[in-house]
Amino acid sequence: MAKAEDVFVGSIDQGTTSTRFIIYDRHSRPIGSHQAEFTQFYPEAGWVEHDPVEILESVKVCMAKALDKATAAGYNVDNGLKAIGLTNQRETTLVWSKSSGSPLHNAIVWMDARTSSICRKLEKELSGGRTHFVDTCGLPISTYFSAVKLIWLMENVEAVRESIEKGDALFGTIDTWLIWNLTGGVNGGLHVTDVSNASRTMLMNLKTLDWDKPTLETLGIPAQILPKIVSNSEVIGKISQGWPITGVPISGCLGDQHAAMLGQACRKGEAKSTYGTGAFILLNTGEEVVQSKHGLLTTLAFKLGRDAPTNYALEGSIAIAGAAVQWLRDSLGIISSAQEIEELALQVQSTGGVYFVPAFNGLFAPWWRDDARGVCIGITRFTSKAHIARAVLESMCFQVKDVLDSMHKDAGEKGEVKNEKGEFLLRVDGGATVNNLLMQIQADLLGSPVVRPADIETTALGAAYAAGLAVGIWSKDEIFDSGERVKSATTFYPVLEEELRKKKVESWCKAVSRTFDLADLSL
């Protein structure tokens, strides 16, 4: 039997702007990694696309370079790599040809808002309006989810229509596209998705964990183009020839936010917030499906094996978090790198009354307003770029607070785990959490502690855990025994006075209300 030091798990972490491949040892330590950026396309206002072939190439490059780095560091990865896990940006939708393997259109990214007219039409036509499918899938009708993106492709792309008619079309989110190609593509590639990604399409029944036939009929989506749904932790298939790694089983697959939950070892009653391009807050509700009455989504947390119990979650999704920092850098030139925002924001003690709401493509939870557009208010002659930078950081934290307030209302006292001081701890992860000022602002606005793990890349770690669990590298007890991780974590405690916190929240809500009904402003 291989020694613990000789056993490794690889993790493909395919995000909204970049792909990473990380190799972990038996002790959950990263021993080699590589990251590659890929292009975001903006064909029209509110439209966001990716080239699926470029994403495939980024996976290939990251795999090869991470392997090289681990090998150069003295690890026998070639013989010791036992499993691959995969985690991906959710809801991003594509259709490709089964026979040629070519995409029939660019992938439509989760934050793309081109489907708003389809959403309005469905809301008017269906008896339940915006919440017509909530009882089945836990999701409102929104531009966010894959089903309406697929309808747009079927209605607007001739190649998609023709391919469906010929029986040559395959639909998938990015996990499905990657697994199909990794396991052979046109030469017998496996057409599968996992329960967490499927739960974000609007097409899966949360209780049966299968595609919902009445929903498919209502939306006119043919069942034959959909992938098979599997659990988050099981051997799906082996990586085929033509990749830097071959013959290794793919045995873990989760949407990025679900992977982060697992990486943070969130048990029932515990919540995490991931700060990336967007921000995503999930609260594990255990085996109970909790329907939100306060603007949240009901979704899957994870299902760690074919016969394992299903854990569900309440989720609040925020479209623009780190993307607002990228906007300051790329569109306004106020900063030249994302890291600079902390230093700039620290030049002032407050925002000077400036509030920034980044409703670039509408607002997600808990507001669900696709007619919202970004605003920056409270500007005076005194306002500097430092005030605006600080307001951008505050905007992320206010949005997370809006979601957590809704979670507290939906879950109630029994649905949350608190520490011995009666405090609800928010676990945080993602690239933006290296920003200490952001984390302190978050604790101040919540009025409760924020806990940042030593390894903030919990999304990739969660995918590795799922893969390793399926092939016996880790047990569930090892994954969920987070005692050691808590010791090495950094905790941020609130210092803002309660009265000032309340006033700031009132001002934020006023600023949010100013974003509504702005989608039709004349150019």
PDB file of all heavy atoms in Angstrom, residues 1 7 9 25-28 233 262-263 265 267 302 304-305 308 461-462 464-482 485:
ATOM      1  N   MET A   1       0.854  -1.204   0.000  1.00  0.00           N
ATOM      2  CA  MET A   1       0.000   0.000   0.000  1.00  0.00           C
ATOM      3  C   MET A   1       0.889   1.254   0.000  1.00  0.00           C
ATOM      4  O   MET A   1       1.907   1.300   0.682  1.00  0.00           O
ATOM      5  CB  MET A   1      -0.892  -0.006   1.245  1.00  0.00           C
ATOM      6  CG  MET A   1      -1.939   1.068   1.262  1.00  0.00           C
ATOM      7  SD  MET A   1      -3.046   0.830   2.678  1.00  0.00           S
ATOM      8  CE  MET A   1      -3.947   2.354   2.601  1.00  0.00           C
ATOM      9  N   VAL A   7       0.448   9.602  -1.800  1.00  0.00           N
ATOM     10  CA  VAL A   7      -0.929   9.607  -2.298  1.00  0.00           C
ATOM     11  C   VAL A   7      -1.355  11.049  -2.549  1.00  0.00           C
ATOM     12  O   VAL A   7      -1.253  11.898  -1.661  1.00  0.00           O
ATOM     13  CB  VAL A   7      -1.883   8.928  -1.286  1.00  0.00           C
ATOM     14  CG1 VAL A   7      -3.334   9.044  -1.747  1.00  0.00           C
ATOM     15  CG2 VAL A   7      -1.508   7.464  -1.117  1.00  0.00           C
ATOM     16  N   VAL A   9      -4.226  13.872  -4.692  1.00  0.00           N
ATOM     17  CA  VAL A   9      -5.507  14.112  -5.363  1.00  0.00           C
ATOM     18  C   VAL A   9      -5.403  15.420  -6.128  1.00  0.00           C
ATOM     19  O   VAL A   9      -4.912  16.425  -5.588  1.00  0.00           O
ATOM     20  CB  VAL A   9      -6.670  14.202  -4.341  1.00  0.00           C
ATOM     21  CG1 VAL A   9      -7.990  14.451  -5.062  1.00  0.00           C
ATOM     22  CG2 VAL A   9      -6.766  12.930  -3.516  1.00  0.00           C
ATOM     23  N   ASP A  25      -1.682  16.708  -1.162  1.00  0.00           N
ATOM     24  CA  ASP A  25      -1.207  15.454  -0.585  1.00  0.00           C
ATOM     25  C   ASP A  25      -2.261  14.917   0.388  1.00  0.00           C
ATOM     26  O   ASP A  25      -3.331  15.518   0.564  1.00  0.00           O
ATOM     27  CB  ASP A  25       0.169  15.629   0.077  1.00  0.00           C
ATOM     28  CG  ASP A  25       0.144  16.496   1.335  1.00  0.00           C
ATOM     29  OD1 ASP A  25      -0.953  16.858   1.819  1.00  0.00           O
ATOM     30  OD2 ASP A  25       1.240  16.823   1.838  1.00  0.00           O
ATOM     31  N   ARG A  26      -1.928  13.805   1.015  1.00  0.00           N
ATOM     32  CA  ARG A  26      -2.880  13.126   1.910  1.00  0.00           C
ATOM     33  C   ARG A  26      -3.288  14.006   3.092  1.00  0.00           C
ATOM     34  O   ARG A  26      -4.338  13.829   3.692  1.00  0.00           O
ATOM     35  CB  ARG A  26      -2.219  11.826   2.396  1.00  0.00           C
ATOM     36  CG  ARG A  26      -2.932  11.081   3.525  1.00  0.00           C
ATOM     37  CD  ARG A  26      -4.238  10.483   3.020  1.00  0.00           C
ATOM     38  NE  ARG A  26      -4.932   9.752   4.074  1.00  0.00           N
ATOM     39  CZ  ARG A  26      -5.626  10.300   5.055  1.00  0.00           C
ATOM     40  NH1 ARG A  26      -5.707  11.602   5.161  1.00  0.00           N
ATOM     41  NH2 ARG A  26      -6.248   9.548   5.951  1.00  0.00           N
ATOM     42  N   HIS A  27      -2.452  15.006   3.406  1.00  0.00           N
ATOM     43  CA  HIS A  27      -2.723  15.883   4.547  1.00  0.00           C
ATOM     44  C   HIS A  27      -3.394  17.189   4.122  1.00  0.00           C
ATOM     45  O   HIS A  27      -3.364  18.174   4.859  1.00  0.00           O
ATOM     46  CB  HIS A  27      -1.412  16.169   5.290  1.00  0.00           C
ATOM     47  CG  HIS A  27      -0.666  14.932   5.671  1.00  0.00           C
ATOM     48  ND1 HIS A  27      -1.102  14.064   6.652  1.00  0.00           N
ATOM     49  CD2 HIS A  27       0.478  14.383   5.169  1.00  0.00           C
ATOM     50  CE1 HIS A  27      -0.256  13.044   6.750  1.00  0.00           C
ATOM     51  NE2 HIS A  27       0.704  13.210   5.864  1.00  0.00           N
ATOM     52  N   SER A  28      -3.985  17.187   2.919  1.00  0.00           N
ATOM     53  CA  SER A  28      -4.720  18.352   2.380  1.00  0.00           C
ATOM     54  C   SER A  28      -3.826  19.541   2.090  1.00  0.00           C
ATOM     55  O   SER A  28      -4.295  20.671   2.004  1.00  0.00           O
ATOM     56  CB  SER A  28      -5.845  18.802   3.325  1.00  0.00           C
ATOM     57  OG  SER A  28      -6.575  17.725   3.800  1.00  0.00           O
ATOM     58  N   SER A 233     -19.764  12.656  -5.062  1.00  0.00           N
ATOM     59  CA  SER A 233     -18.582  11.868  -4.701  1.00  0.00           C
ATOM     60  C   SER A 233     -18.782  10.416  -5.124  1.00  0.00           C
ATOM     61  O   SER A 233     -19.327   9.615  -4.379  1.00  0.00           O
ATOM     62  CB  SER A 233     -18.347  11.964  -3.182  1.00  0.00           C
ATOM     63  OG  SER A 233     -17.208  11.222  -2.806  1.00  0.00           O
ATOM     64  N   LEU A 262     -18.024  22.309   1.250  1.00  0.00           N
ATOM     65  CA  LEU A 262     -17.352  21.079   1.676  1.00  0.00           C
ATOM     66  C   LEU A 262     -15.928  21.390   2.137  1.00  0.00           C
ATOM     67  O   LEU A 262     -15.464  20.865   3.155  1.00  0.00           O
ATOM     68  CB  LEU A 262     -17.352  20.068   0.524  1.00  0.00           C
ATOM     69  CG  LEU A 262     -16.772  18.684   0.819  1.00  0.00           C
ATOM     70  CD1 LEU A 262     -17.498  18.026   1.990  1.00  0.00           C
ATOM     71  CD2 LEU A 262     -16.856  17.797  -0.418  1.00  0.00           C
ATOM     72  N   GLY A 263     -15.232  22.254   1.408  1.00  0.00           N
ATOM     73  CA  GLY A 263     -13.885  22.649   1.797  1.00  0.00           C
ATOM     74  C   GLY A 263     -13.856  23.339   3.155  1.00  0.00           C
ATOM     75  O   GLY A 263     -12.886  23.228   3.904  1.00  0.00           O
ATOM     76  N   ALA A 265     -15.985  22.530   5.433  1.00  0.00           N
ATOM     77  CA  ALA A 265     -16.559  21.520   6.337  1.00  0.00           C
ATOM     78  C   ALA A 265     -17.804  22.040   7.043  1.00  0.00           C
ATOM     79  O   ALA A 265     -17.972  21.885   8.251  1.00  0.00           O
ATOM     80  CB  ALA A 265     -15.515  21.059   7.352  1.00  0.00           C
ATOM     81  N   ARG A 267     -21.160  21.917   8.448  1.00  0.00           N
ATOM     82  CA  ARG A 267     -22.205  20.995   8.877  1.00  0.00           C
ATOM     83  C   ARG A 267     -23.547  21.722   8.894  1.00  0.00           C
ATOM     84  O   ARG A 267     -23.615  22.918   8.639  1.00  0.00           O
ATOM     85  CB  ARG A 267     -21.914  20.476  10.280  1.00  0.00           C
ATOM     86  CG  ARG A 267     -20.648  19.646  10.424  1.00  0.00           C
ATOM     87  CD  ARG A 267     -20.553  19.178  11.878  1.00  0.00           C
ATOM     88  NE  ARG A 267     -19.417  18.324  12.109  1.00  0.00           N
ATOM     89  CZ  ARG A 267     -18.222  18.741  12.515  1.00  0.00           C
ATOM     90  NH1 ARG A 267     -18.022  20.026  12.692  1.00  0.00           N
ATOM     91  NH2 ARG A 267     -17.245  17.889  12.742  1.00  0.00           N
ATOM     92  N   PHE A 302     -24.694  19.279  -0.697  1.00  0.00           N
ATOM     93  CA  PHE A 302     -23.898  18.216  -1.322  1.00  0.00           C
ATOM     94  C   PHE A 302     -24.518  16.859  -1.013  1.00  0.00           C
ATOM     95  O   PHE A 302     -25.309  16.715  -0.080  1.00  0.00           O
ATOM     96  CB  PHE A 302     -22.436  18.237  -0.852  1.00  0.00           C
ATOM     97  CG  PHE A 302     -22.235  18.566   0.605  1.00  0.00           C
ATOM     98  CD1 PHE A 302     -22.627  17.671   1.600  1.00  0.00           C
ATOM     99  CD2 PHE A 302     -21.660  19.768   0.994  1.00  0.00           C
ATOM    100  CE1 PHE A 302     -22.456  17.970   2.939  1.00  0.00           C
ATOM    101  CE2 PHE A 302     -21.487  20.081   2.339  1.00  0.00           C
ATOM    102  CZ  PHE A 302     -21.881  19.177   3.318  1.00  0.00           C
ATOM    103  N   LEU A 304     -22.687  13.212  -0.754  1.00  0.00           N
ATOM    104  CA  LEU A 304     -21.342  12.647  -0.807  1.00  0.00           C
ATOM    105  C   LEU A 304     -21.365  11.133  -1.024  1.00  0.00           C
ATOM    106  O   LEU A 304     -20.903  10.353  -0.186  1.00  0.00           O
ATOM    107  CB  LEU A 304     -20.577  13.019   0.466  1.00  0.00           C
ATOM    108  CG  LEU A 304     -20.413  14.525   0.699  1.00  0.00           C
ATOM    109  CD1 LEU A 304     -19.711  14.812   2.002  1.00  0.00           C
ATOM    110  CD2 LEU A 304     -19.683  15.178  -0.476  1.00  0.00           C
ATOM    111  N   GLY A 305     -21.924  10.727  -2.151  1.00  0.00           N
ATOM    112  CA  GLY A 305     -22.001   9.314  -2.506  1.00  0.00           C
ATOM    113  C   GLY A 305     -23.389   8.957  -3.005  1.00  0.00           C
ATOM    114  O   GLY A 305     -24.370   9.608  -2.648  1.00  0.00           O
ATOM    115  N   ALA A 308     -25.553   8.177  -0.143  1.00  0.00           N
ATOM    116  CA  ALA A 308     -25.389   9.082   1.003  1.00  0.00           C
ATOM    117  C   ALA A 308     -26.612   9.986   1.138  1.00  0.00           C
ATOM    118  O   ALA A 308     -27.321  10.238   0.151  1.00  0.00           O
ATOM    119  CB  ALA A 308     -24.139   9.934   0.801  1.00  0.00           C
ATOM    120  N   LEU A 461     -10.181  22.768  -2.648  1.00  0.00           N
ATOM    121  CA  LEU A 461     -10.015  21.749  -1.612  1.00  0.00           C
ATOM    122  C   LEU A 461     -11.270  20.890  -1.483  1.00  0.00           C
ATOM    123  O   LEU A 461     -11.187  19.663  -1.324  1.00  0.00           O
ATOM    124  CB  LEU A 461      -9.687  22.421  -0.271  1.00  0.00           C
ATOM    125  CG  LEU A 461      -9.444  21.490   0.916  1.00  0.00           C
ATOM    126  CD1 LEU A 461      -8.286  20.547   0.654  1.00  0.00           C
ATOM    127  CD2 LEU A 461      -9.206  22.305   2.190  1.00  0.00           C
ATOM    128  N   GLY A 462     -12.451  21.529  -1.578  1.00  0.00           N
ATOM    129  CA  GLY A 462     -13.707  20.782  -1.489  1.00  0.00           C
ATOM    130  C   GLY A 462     -13.844  19.754  -2.595  1.00  0.00           C
ATOM    131  O   GLY A 462     -14.302  18.622  -2.372  1.00  0.00           O
ATOM    132  N   ALA A 464     -11.353  18.338  -4.146  1.00  0.00           N
ATOM    133  CA  ALA A 464     -10.381  17.284  -3.829  1.00  0.00           C
ATOM    134  C   ALA A 464     -10.932  16.345  -2.757  1.00  0.00           C
ATOM    135  O   ALA A 464     -10.801  15.120  -2.860  1.00  0.00           O
ATOM    136  CB  ALA A 464      -9.067  17.911  -3.361  1.00  0.00           C
ATOM    137  N   TYR A 465     -11.578  16.913  -1.730  1.00  0.00           N
ATOM    138  CA  TYR A 465     -12.177  16.079  -0.680  1.00  0.00           C
ATOM    139  C   TYR A 465     -13.204  15.108  -1.263  1.00  0.00           C
ATOM    140  O   TYR A 465     -13.220  13.925  -0.915  1.00  0.00           O
ATOM    141  CB  TYR A 465     -12.865  16.959   0.363  1.00  0.00           C
ATOM    142  CG  TYR A 465     -11.957  17.552   1.408  1.00  0.00           C
ATOM    143  CD1 TYR A 465     -12.325  18.699   2.097  1.00  0.00           C
ATOM    144  CD2 TYR A 465     -10.736  16.965   1.732  1.00  0.00           C
ATOM    145  CE1 TYR A 465     -11.508  19.259   3.076  1.00  0.00           C
ATOM    146  CE2 TYR A 465      -9.909  17.522   2.703  1.00  0.00           C
ATOM    147  CZ  TYR A 465     -10.303  18.671   3.370  1.00  0.00           C
ATOM    148  OH  TYR A 465      -9.494  19.215   4.328  1.00  0.00           O
ATOM    149  N   ALA A 466     -14.085  15.619  -2.134  1.00  0.00           N
ATOM    150  CA  ALA A 466     -15.128  14.768  -2.729  1.00  0.00           C
ATOM    151  C   ALA A 466     -14.499  13.622  -3.514  1.00  0.00           C
ATOM    152  O   ALA A 466     -14.949  12.469  -3.433  1.00  0.00           O
ATOM    153  CB  ALA A 466     -16.042  15.601  -3.630  1.00  0.00           C
ATOM    154  N   ALA A 467     -13.446  13.945  -4.285  1.00  0.00           N
ATOM    155  CA  ALA A 467     -12.775  12.925  -5.096  1.00  0.00           C
ATOM    156  C   ALA A 467     -12.057  11.907  -4.216  1.00  0.00           C
ATOM    157  O   ALA A 467     -12.155  10.685  -4.434  1.00  0.00           O
ATOM    158  CB  ALA A 467     -11.786  13.586  -6.050  1.00  0.00           C
ATOM    159  N   GLY A 468     -11.352  12.388  -3.207  1.00  0.00           N
ATOM    160  CA  GLY A 468     -10.605  11.502  -2.318  1.00  0.00           C
ATOM    161  C   GLY A 468     -11.519  10.622  -1.484  1.00  0.00           C
ATOM    162  O   GLY A 468     -11.206   9.454  -1.216  1.00  0.00           O
ATOM    163  N   LEU A 469     -12.656  11.175  -1.082  1.00  0.00           N
ATOM    164  CA  LEU A 469     -13.646  10.420  -0.309  1.00  0.00           C
ATOM    165  C   LEU A 469     -14.143   9.212  -1.102  1.00  0.00           C
ATOM    166  O   LEU A 469     -14.283   8.100  -0.568  1.00  0.00           O
ATOM    167  CB  LEU A 469     -14.815  11.345   0.051  1.00  0.00           C
ATOM    168  CG  LEU A 469     -15.942  10.768   0.899  1.00  0.00           C
ATOM    169  CD1 LEU A 469     -15.435  10.381   2.287  1.00  0.00           C
ATOM    170  CD2 LEU A 469     -17.073  11.794   1.025  1.00  0.00           C
ATOM    171  N   ALA A 470     -14.386   9.418  -2.402  1.00  0.00           N
ATOM    172  CA  ALA A 470     -14.935   8.352  -3.251  1.00  0.00           C
ATOM    173  C   ALA A 470     -13.975   7.184  -3.432  1.00  0.00           C
ATOM    174  O   ALA A 470     -14.411   6.052  -3.661  1.00  0.00           O
ATOM    175  CB  ALA A 470     -15.326   8.923  -4.614  1.00  0.00           C
ATOM    176  N   VAL A 471     -12.667   7.440  -3.340  1.00  0.00           N
ATOM    177  CA  VAL A 471     -11.698   6.357  -3.556  1.00  0.00           C
ATOM    178  C   VAL A 471     -10.979   5.953  -2.264  1.00  0.00           C
ATOM    179  O   VAL A 471      -9.980   5.240  -2.293  1.00  0.00           O
ATOM    180  CB  VAL A 471     -10.655   6.737  -4.651  1.00  0.00           C
ATOM    181  CG1 VAL A 471     -11.341   6.960  -5.989  1.00  0.00           C
ATOM    182  CG2 VAL A 471      -9.835   7.963  -4.239  1.00  0.00           C
ATOM    183  N   GLY A 472     -11.501   6.415  -1.121  1.00  0.00           N
ATOM    184  CA  GLY A 472     -10.997   5.946   0.167  1.00  0.00           C
ATOM    185  C   GLY A 472      -9.765   6.639   0.702  1.00  0.00           C
ATOM    186  O   GLY A 472      -9.130   6.139   1.638  1.00  0.00           O
ATOM    187  N   ILE A 473      -9.417   7.810   0.168  1.00  0.00           N
ATOM    188  CA  ILE A 473      -8.247   8.535   0.681  1.00  0.00           C
ATOM    189  C   ILE A 473      -8.590   9.250   1.987  1.00  0.00           C
ATOM    190  O   ILE A 473      -7.780   9.303   2.908  1.00  0.00           O
ATOM    191  CB  ILE A 473      -7.718   9.519  -0.384  1.00  0.00           C
ATOM    192  CG1 ILE A 473      -7.133   8.726  -1.548  1.00  0.00           C
ATOM    193  CG2 ILE A 473      -6.674  10.468   0.208  1.00  0.00           C
ATOM    194  CD1 ILE A 473      -6.753   9.553  -2.744  1.00  0.00           C
ATOM    195  N   TRP A 474      -9.789   9.814   2.050  1.00  0.00           N
ATOM    196  CA  TRP A 474     -10.267  10.455   3.279  1.00  0.00           C
ATOM    197  C   TRP A 474     -11.589   9.828   3.699  1.00  0.00           C
ATOM    198  O   TRP A 474     -12.345   9.320   2.861  1.00  0.00           O
ATOM    199  CB  TRP A 474     -10.494  11.956   3.070  1.00  0.00           C
ATOM    200  CG  TRP A 474      -9.251  12.741   2.878  1.00  0.00           C
ATOM    201  CD1 TRP A 474      -8.257  12.939   3.794  1.00  0.00           C
ATOM    202  CD2 TRP A 474      -8.859  13.466   1.699  1.00  0.00           C
ATOM    203  NE1 TRP A 474      -7.270  13.730   3.241  1.00  0.00           N
ATOM    204  CE2 TRP A 474      -7.606  14.068   1.964  1.00  0.00           C
ATOM    205  CE3 TRP A 474      -9.437  13.668   0.448  1.00  0.00           C
ATOM    206  CZ2 TRP A 474      -6.934  14.855   1.042  1.00  0.00           C
ATOM    207  CZ3 TRP A 474      -8.764  14.441  -0.476  1.00  0.00           C
ATOM    208  CH2 TRP A 474      -7.519  15.029  -0.187  1.00  0.00           C
ATOM    209  N   SER A 475     -11.882   9.922   4.975  1.00  0.00           N
ATOM    210  CA  SER A 475     -13.204   9.538   5.487  1.00  0.00           C
ATOM    211  C   SER A 475     -13.994  10.823   5.753  1.00  0.00           C
ATOM    212  O   SER A 475     -13.414  11.909   5.858  1.00  0.00           O
ATOM    213  CB  SER A 475     -13.067   8.752   6.792  1.00  0.00           C
ATOM    214  OG  SER A 475     -12.572   9.609   7.820  1.00  0.00           O
ATOM    215  N   LYS A 476     -15.309  10.685   5.908  1.00  0.00           N
ATOM    216  CA  LYS A 476     -16.124  11.876   6.207  1.00  0.00           C
ATOM    217  C   LYS A 476     -15.712  12.488   7.537  1.00  0.00           C
ATOM    218  O   LYS A 476     -15.691  13.714   7.687  1.00  0.00           O
ATOM    219  CB  LYS A 476     -17.611  11.492   6.242  1.00  0.00           C
ATOM    220  CG  LYS A 476     -18.217  11.313   4.863  1.00  0.00           C
ATOM    221  CD  LYS A 476     -19.711  11.071   4.939  1.00  0.00           C
ATOM    222  CE  LYS A 476     -20.227  10.700   3.549  1.00  0.00           C
ATOM    223  NZ  LYS A 476     -21.634  10.322   3.544  1.00  0.00           N
ATOM    224  N   ASP A 477     -15.375  11.637   8.515  1.00  0.00           N
ATOM    225  CA  ASP A 477     -14.971  12.161   9.819  1.00  0.00           C
ATOM    226  C   ASP A 477     -13.726  13.035   9.699  1.00  0.00           C
ATOM    227  O   ASP A 477     -13.630  14.089  10.330  1.00  0.00           O
ATOM    228  CB  ASP A 477     -14.696  11.014  10.795  1.00  0.00           C
ATOM    229  CG  ASP A 477     -15.979  10.334  11.262  1.00  0.00           C
ATOM    230  OD1 ASP A 477     -17.058  10.926  11.064  1.00  0.00           O
ATOM    231  OD2 ASP A 477     -15.900   9.222  11.802  1.00  0.00           O
ATOM    232  N   GLU A 478     -12.771  12.609   8.884  1.00  0.00           N
ATOM    233  CA  GLU A 478     -11.552  13.402   8.700  1.00  0.00           C
ATOM    234  C   GLU A 478     -11.866  14.753   8.055  1.00  0.00           C
ATOM    235  O   GLU A 478     -11.307  15.787   8.427  1.00  0.00           O
ATOM    236  CB  GLU A 478     -10.560  12.639   7.816  1.00  0.00           C
ATOM    237  CG  GLU A 478      -9.874  11.483   8.501  1.00  0.00           C
ATOM    238  CD  GLU A 478      -8.974  10.729   7.543  1.00  0.00           C
ATOM    239  OE1 GLU A 478      -9.499  10.078   6.622  1.00  0.00           O
ATOM    240  OE2 GLU A 478      -7.748  10.804   7.711  1.00  0.00           O
ATOM    241  N   ILE A 479     -12.763  14.740   7.065  1.00  0.00           N
ATOM    242  CA  ILE A 479     -13.104  15.980   6.358  1.00  0.00           C
ATOM    243  C   ILE A 479     -13.823  16.958   7.276  1.00  0.00           C
ATOM    244  O   ILE A 479     -13.535  18.158   7.283  1.00  0.00           O
ATOM    245  CB  ILE A 479     -13.961  15.667   5.108  1.00  0.00           C
ATOM    246  CG1 ILE A 479     -13.115  14.917   4.065  1.00  0.00           C
ATOM    247  CG2 ILE A 479     -14.551  16.943   4.517  1.00  0.00           C
ATOM    248  CD1 ILE A 479     -13.906  14.327   2.914  1.00  0.00           C
ATOM    249  N   PHE A 480     -14.759  16.431   8.081  1.00  0.00           N
ATOM    250  CA  PHE A 480     -15.600  17.334   8.884  1.00  0.00           C
ATOM    251  C   PHE A 480     -15.039  17.605  10.274  1.00  0.00           C
ATOM    252  O   PHE A 480     -15.614  18.392  11.022  1.00  0.00           O
ATOM    253  CB  PHE A 480     -17.027  16.787   8.967  1.00  0.00           C
ATOM    254  CG  PHE A 480     -17.788  16.981   7.687  1.00  0.00           C
ATOM    255  CD1 PHE A 480     -17.866  15.961   6.756  1.00  0.00           C
ATOM    256  CD2 PHE A 480     -18.375  18.203   7.382  1.00  0.00           C
ATOM    257  CE1 PHE A 480     -18.537  16.139   5.543  1.00  0.00           C
ATOM    258  CE2 PHE A 480     -19.048  18.392   6.189  1.00  0.00           C
ATOM    259  CZ  PHE A 480     -19.124  17.371   5.264  1.00  0.00           C
ATOM    260  N   ASP A 481     -13.923  16.999  10.628  1.00  0.00           N
ATOM    261  CA  ASP A 481     -13.281  17.318  11.899  1.00  0.00           C
ATOM    262  C   ASP A 481     -12.411  18.544  11.689  1.00  0.00           C
ATOM    263  O   ASP A 481     -11.238  18.452  11.324  1.00  0.00           O
ATOM    264  CB  ASP A 481     -12.421  16.141  12.384  1.00  0.00           C
ATOM    265  CG  ASP A 481     -11.749  16.458  13.712  1.00  0.00           C
ATOM    266  OD1 ASP A 481     -12.148  17.446  14.359  1.00  0.00           O
ATOM    267  OD2 ASP A 481     -10.807  15.731  14.090  1.00  0.00           O
ATOM    268  N   SER A 482     -13.012  19.708  11.880  1.00  0.00           N
ATOM    269  CA  SER A 482     -12.339  20.961  11.509  1.00  0.00           C
ATOM    270  C   SER A 482     -11.574  21.594  12.675  1.00  0.00           C
ATOM    271  O   SER A 482     -11.197  22.752  12.614  1.00  0.00           O
ATOM    272  CB  SER A 482     -13.360  21.958  10.962  1.00  0.00           C
ATOM    273  OG  SER A 482     -14.403  22.155  11.908  1.00  0.00           O
ATOM    274  N   ARG A 485      -8.245  23.085  11.696  1.00  0.00           N
ATOM    275  CA  ARG A 485      -8.364  24.239  10.802  1.00  0.00           C
ATOM    276  C   ARG A 485      -8.781  25.494  11.564  1.00  0.00           C
ATOM    277  O   ARG A 485      -8.353  26.595  11.256  1.00  0.00           O
ATOM    278  CB  ARG A 485      -9.363  23.934   9.682  1.00  0.00           C
ATOM    279  CG  ARG A 485      -8.716  23.246   8.513  1.00  0.00           C
ATOM    280  CD  ARG A 485      -9.728  22.833   7.499  1.00  0.00           C
ATOM    281  NE  ARG A 485     -10.480  21.679   7.950  1.00  0.00           N
ATOM    282  CZ  ARG A 485     -11.413  21.079   7.226  1.00  0.00           C
ATOM    283  NH1 ARG A 485     -11.710  21.539   6.046  1.00  0.00           N
ATOM    284  NH2 ARG A 485     -12.042  20.029   7.681  1.00  0.00           N
TER     285      ARG A 485
END
